[in-house]
Amino acid sequence: MPSLDPETRRAISDRIRYYNDLGIYDLYRQPVELLNSAPKIESEAAVTMPTASASRASAPPTVSSDPMVSLRQIREDLGDCTRCRLHKQGRKQIVFGVGNPRADLMFIGEAPGADEDEKGEPFVGRAGQLLTNMIKAMGLSREEVYIANIIKCRPPGNRTPERDECETCSPFLMRQIEVIGPKAIVALGAVAAKTLLAINAPMSELRGRWYDFRGTKLAVTYHPAFLLRDPRQKKETWKDLQMVMKELGLKAPEKAPA
Ligand code: URA
């Protein structure tokens, strides 16, 4: 049997874990001839995963070593999601995530707000402007990193996401993280930190150090919306971002973001 490249191997194990999360454990290999005749394989490197059972998955899902293709697949799997109550509580659209599918650095916020719900892109409102400035201060651009949220639909009135909403939605974020394979993740604010790390502690204790998140380095810092309310914490946030820059080998510009 030919050996698989590490990216494809990772994509396949991600897909198997996803099936396991759904309670599906019996997976079967499909003959290569069938792969060649399968419709809609989006890149040369795409491979088809075995169906869990004929009734559950009549069209074999596709995983690919091209992260763009894999992200598109995750978006397709989300569909016009109705898995939690938020779909009927005024969301205009699903806010999937944006940026470089091969980003070294991923920022993960809480949930879309009104501006994000309107535009379909995370962090495009006032907090987003501050995040964009923070990214620029690190010597990067929004296009170079990947930005997503714990949940993909706007909660009514921008309330804090409920635990079950986070639990329902975050498996899709986990798949995005696996596909992108960042070197570092920055969790923005308590909801992101607590959901990803399953730790309940105040932000002042959570920030300022590295965590291991499924083999990836994860740092926690203040949410930009909080910084708009309490700009004194920008200094601490900048320290967190400098820690991230050091890890990624990014050269520190002279001054902190305004
Ligand atoms: N706050 C978040 O946590 N995410 C967004 O996308 C916008 C604001």
Side-chain angles (χ1 to χ4, degrees):
M1 190 182 110
S3 65
L4 296 170
D5 66 88
E7 270 184 29
T8 306
R9 197 180 281 274
R10 198 179 54 193
I12 291 174
S13 70
D14 173 37
R15 177 56 62 136
I16 291 172
R17 197 168 316 125
Y18 171 66
Y19 280 129
N20 292 166
D21 286 346
L22 294 175
I24 298 166
Y25 294 95
D26 295 330
L27 301 165
Y28 305 93
R29 287 173 54 79
Q30 206 170 48
V32 169
E33 309 83 83
L34 277 182
L35 293 183
N36 295 336
S37 61
K40 215 173 148 255
I41 287 183
E42 297 191 53
S43 94
E44 275 179 11
V47 294
T48 306
M49 280 301 296
T51 49
S53 79
S55 60
R56 259 191 156 129
S58 52
T62 304
V63 292
S64 165
S65 60
D66 178 344
M68 183 92 88
V69 174
S70 298
L71 288 175
R72 210 178 301 143
Q73 181 65 59
I74 299 168
R75 180 65 191 87
E76 267 177 39
D77 292 347
L78 251 174
D80 189 20
C81 186
T82 57
R83 291 170 182 82
C84 84
R85 64 184 78 78
L86 293 177
H87 78 281
K88 50 182 180 193
Q89 295 193 343
R91 77 138 195 242
K92 288 198 178 129
Q93 54 186 316
I94 291 168
V95 179
F96 183 68
V98 71
N100 179 0
R102 298 179 195 271
D104 283 346
L105 179 58
M106 233 177 130
F107 288 91
I108 299 177
E110 181 178 316
D115 295 312
E116 291 74 22
D117 185 48
E118 195 65 49
K119 294 217 172 122
E121 182 174 329
F123 283 100
V124 290
R126 274 187 73 221
Q129 186 57 54
L130 179 53
L131 177 63
T132 304
N133 289 343
M134 286 156 58
I135 293 167
K136 280 188 193 153
M138 298 173 80
L140 295 168
S141 66
R142 265 177 87 96
E143 292 70 32
E144 285 173 281
V145 303
Y146 195 90
I147 307 172
N149 283 306
I150 294 288
I151 65 167
K152 300 195 185 320
C153 295
R154 182 193 180 199
N158 297 343
R159 65 156 169 75
T160 304
E162 304 280 353
R163 193 189 169 131
D164 64 316
E165 292 159 1
C166 295
E167 279 169 4
T168 304
C169 202
S170 57
F172 292 94
L173 174 65
M174 299 310 132
R175 291 174 64 196
Q176 287 169 283
I177 295 171
E178 285 244 3
V179 160
I180 294 162
K183 292 189 180 134
I185 296 170
V186 176
L188 299 165
V191 170
K194 288 175 187 179
T195 306
L196 294 171
L197 297 171
I199 300 177
N200 203 359
M203 276 302 291
S204 55
E205 283 172 30
L206 288 171
R207 56 157 297 275
R209 50 161 289 200
W210 285 112
Y211 297 84
D212 176 78
F213 177 75
R214 303 179 174 199
T216 302
K217 292 207 147 198
L218 184 145
V220 174
T221 198
Y222 291 107
H223 192 287
F226 172 77
L227 296 176
L228 291 174
R229 295 195 298 275
D230 186 357
R232 288 169 305 169
Q233 303 305 330
K234 282 187 181 175
K235 219 170 113 193
E236 297 303 296
T237 306
W238 184 231
K239 284 186 200 158
D240 296 332
L241 297 183
Q242 285 179 307
M243 179 179 88
V244 174
M245 288 161 65
K246 192 166 170 215
E247 178 66 27
L248 296 180
L250 298 170
K251 249 194 32 224
E254 293 85 61
K255 67 184 195 78

